[in-house]
Amino acid sequence: DGGITQSPKYLFRKEGQNVTLSCEQNLNHDAMYWYRQDPGQGLRLIYYSQIVNDFQKGDIAEGYSVSREKKESFPLTVTSAQKNPTAFYLCASSIVIDYEQYFGPGTRLTVT
Amino acid sequence: GENVEQHPSTLSVQEGDSAVIKCTYSDSASNYFPWYKQELGKGPQLIIDIRSNVGEKKDQRIAVTLNKTAKHFSLHITETQPEDSAVYFCAASNRDSNYQLIWGAGTKLIIKP
């Protein structure tokens, strides 16, 4: 059963702590993406990766970091430098860039 | 850079009626326009997309139209059903932005029984 998994679904952290969100896909897609979604707003791109060992910043990369060591995995770290980290985070993948993006179920992060 | 505006932010229609959501974009180089549906607590799912070499595309009750001159594209849902209730997002991309999707703010579609 192919798809994208994100874990956990809900995540709670104290301010000042780094936290890593998991994203795994078994669709054999080359491209992967991280988006942030805030209430009443569209999705905003944090980072994307077109191929293993390569990634680029999106519009709101400050305070976030990623790695792409394996084709299947694209973890996102929300660092303590991110000023307003509480949000719904969505991971997506596509066979290559500029094709349909398939989304995971999302992780809701709450930082207090 | 590209900017996508989406209207209305909320749309309430009677079951069985049609719904139309409109998006405008600013970058004339944009050439890919997908529409996504997001149900509560889930990730968005592509429902239809169109590239700039065609003006209209249909898939059963869903259609998308593109007006490149006016730089707008619209989603049309006919014979709406309760399961169409969701938030719908439009997006646009082009080669100059390395094909990043620029998203509209979303439309909450409510189907009244």
Side-chain angles (χ1 to χ4, degrees):
Chain A
D1 199 18
I4 300 179
T5 56
Q6 290 185 245
S7 59
K9 192 168 178 65
Y10 299 96
L11 191 53
F12 299 89
R13 279 294 183 270
K14 294 289 187 188
E15 201 172 305
Q17 294 179 335
N18 291 354
V19 58
T20 297
L21 281 60
S22 166
C23 178
E24 304 278 331
Q25 55 99 357
N26 61 4
L27 299 168
N28 200 32
H29 286 173
D30 281 325
M32 296 188 74
Y33 314 80
W34 273 106
Y35 291 95
R36 172 183 172 133
Q37 187 174 31
D38 294 288
Q41 296 188 34
L43 280 66
R44 292 184 289 168
L45 184 65
I46 304 172
Y47 270 97
Y48 66 104
S49 167
Q50 295 189 61
I51 202 161
V52 175
N53 293 321
D54 183 60
F55 50 83
Q56 286 83 39
K57 293 181 179 180
D59 296 327
I60 57 166
E62 187 175 344
Y64 300 97
S65 66
V66 294
S67 62
R68 187 88 188 275
E69 297 176 2
K70 298 187 298 181
K71 189 174 186 177
E72 307 78 30
S73 178
F74 191 41
L76 173 75
T77 297
V78 184
T79 75
S80 55
Q82 168 48 235
K83 302 245 185 294
N84 187 18
T86 294
F88 188 50
Y89 290 88
L90 286 159
C91 178
S93 71
S94 60
I95 190 165
V96 291
I97 208 156
D98 198 34
Y99 275 76
E100 175 183 357
Q101 293 185 19
Y102 293 78
F103 283 82
T107 292
R108 189 166 297 281
L109 173 65
T110 302
V111 177
T112 57
Chain B
E2 176 65 280
N3 181 52
V4 176
E5 293 191 358
Q6 183 172 347
H7 299 281
S9 56
T10 305
L11 178 60
S12 184
V13 302
Q14 206 68 40
E15 183 179 347
D17 288 351
S18 295
V20 181
I21 303 169
K22 183 173 175 178
C23 288
T24 59
Y25 60 98
S26 59
D27 189 343
S28 57
S30 288
N31 59 1
Y32 176 59
F33 307 93
W35 284 91
Y36 282 80
K37 175 184 181 182
Q38 186 176 27
E39 296 177 347
L40 196 62
K42 296 183 179 179
Q45 184 175 15
L46 182 75
I47 55 171
I48 196 165
D49 57 5
I50 192 168
R51 295 197 183 262
S52 58
N53 57 343
V54 297
E56 183 176 2
K57 185 176 178 181
K58 275 186 180 180
D59 183 4
Q60 299 181 336
R61 298 187 296 109
I62 294 172
V64 55
T65 58
L66 171 64
N67 183 327
K68 287 168 56 180
T69 304
K71 290 189 283 189
H72 67 70
F73 57 110
S74 299
L75 176 71
H76 305 253
I77 305 174
T78 59
E79 301 172 10
T80 53
Q81 300 169 4
E83 54 265 35
D84 294 330
S85 293
V87 179
Y88 292 80
F89 291 94
C90 64
S93 73
N94 63 68
R95 186 178 64 182
D96 294 340
S97 65
N98 202 22
Y99 304 109
Q100 289 183 48
L101 285 177
I102 305 301
W103 296 76
T107 296
K108 183 175 183 179
L109 178 61
I110 301 166
I111 308 300
K112 297 181 290 185

